[in-house]
Amino acid sequence: MESEGMKRVCTELQPSRFENIVALVALYRPGPMEWIPQYINNRHGRTQVTYLHPKLEPILRETYGIAIYQDQVMRIARDVAGFSMSEADELRKVMGKKLKDQVPIYRERFITGAMEHSAVTRRLAEEIFAFVEPFAGYGFNKAHAVAYAMIAYQTAYLKANHAVSYVTALLTSVKD
C-alpha cells in the first residue's frame, strides 16, 4: 500500500474502517482498478448506490454496490439464480479462469435460474449476469484480501509508532 497510486487512492477514500482497507486491497489490481472511483464516490455519497434487484442489496451493501469479492459473486449466483454453493463455486472458477467455452453454458444456467428462482425477466437476469461477469473474472477471495489488509495495517502501525525498530528489522531481514 506504499505506492504513490495507492497513497492517492487512500487519501481520496479516507478509510475509516478496516473493511475499507480490505476493499482497496482487492480493488487495487489490474482489472478491478477501474471500479475504484465508483467505490469511492458511492462510499462518500457523491453517487447513489443502486441495485439491479433487491436480493443484491444485502450482498453488496458493505461494498457500496460494487461486487468486489469472489464470495459475493458466489452468493449472487446462490441467492438470485438458485445455484448450490458447489455450482456457484464452479461458476466462479469458470469466470475466474476465463474458460470462454464454458461461460455461455453457465450464463444460460444463471439466467434460467434467476428467472425461476427470483421471478425476474430474462432481460433483468441478463443484466445481473452482465454485472457479475467482470467482477468474477478479477475478484479476490475476501479472506485473501483480509490477510493482505491485516499485514498492511500492522506494517503501517509499526512504521508510525516504532519507526526505528521497524526499519532496523526490515533492513536486518534482507541483509543478505
Side-chain angles (χ1 to χ4, degrees):
M1 295 189 71
E2 294 180 351
S3 72
E4 289 304 313
M6 183 59 97
K7 288 178 187 176
R8 181 184 45 75
V9 168
C10 282
T11 300
E12 291 175 25
L13 178 65
Q14 301 170 11
S16 59
R17 301 172 36 205
F18 181 69
E19 290 80 7
N20 297 145
I21 298 169
V22 174
L24 279 184
V25 166
L27 285 169
Y28 200 83
R29 299 177 307 105
M33 284 181 98
E34 68 185 75
W35 299 304
I36 291 173
Q38 184 179 353
Y39 177 82
I40 291 171
N41 287 331
N42 288 359
R43 177 185 170 342
H44 290 298
R46 294 182 206 130
T47 50
Q48 183 175 356
V49 177
T50 58
Y51 304 97
L52 291 170
H53 190 277
K55 287 185 177 184
L56 296 178
E57 184 175 359
I59 301 167
L60 302 175
R61 184 182 311 119
E62 78 168 299
T63 54
Y64 308 103
I66 312 268
I68 295 175
Y69 310 113
Q70 292 175 345
D71 318 57
Q72 290 172 306
V73 171
M74 292 172 60
R75 210 170 136 205
I76 290 169
R78 185 191 70 194
D79 293 359
V80 173
F83 280 40
S84 69
M85 284 309 286
S86 64
E87 291 171 323
D89 190 45
E90 289 173 24
L91 172 69
R92 177 199 58 79
K93 287 177 189 171
V94 165
M95 292 173 149
K97 293 179 180 173
K98 296 172 182 49
L99 303 174
K100 294 183 190 292
D101 60 322
Q102 293 182 36
V103 171
I105 297 165
Y106 280 88
R107 180 181 188 276
E108 192 54 41
R109 284 178 60 193
F110 183 95
I111 290 167
T112 302
M115 290 172 19
E116 293 171 4
H117 189 74
S118 297
V120 298
T121 64
R122 181 171 187 85
R123 183 170 181 226
L124 181 55
E126 290 170 349
E127 282 183 58
I128 295 169
F129 187 85
F131 169 78
V132 168
E133 190 172 15
F135 295 107
Y138 295 108
F140 243 32
N141 167 313
K142 186 175 182 181
H144 196 85
V146 167
Y148 276 117
M150 182 58 78
I151 292 168
Y153 184 84
Q154 290 170 335
T155 301
Y157 175 85
L158 291 171
K159 285 176 72 174
N161 295 287
H162 305 282
V164 174
S165 297
Y166 172 79
V167 173
T168 301
L170 180 64
L171 292 172
T172 304
S173 73
V174 293
K175 67 182 176 185
D176 294 330

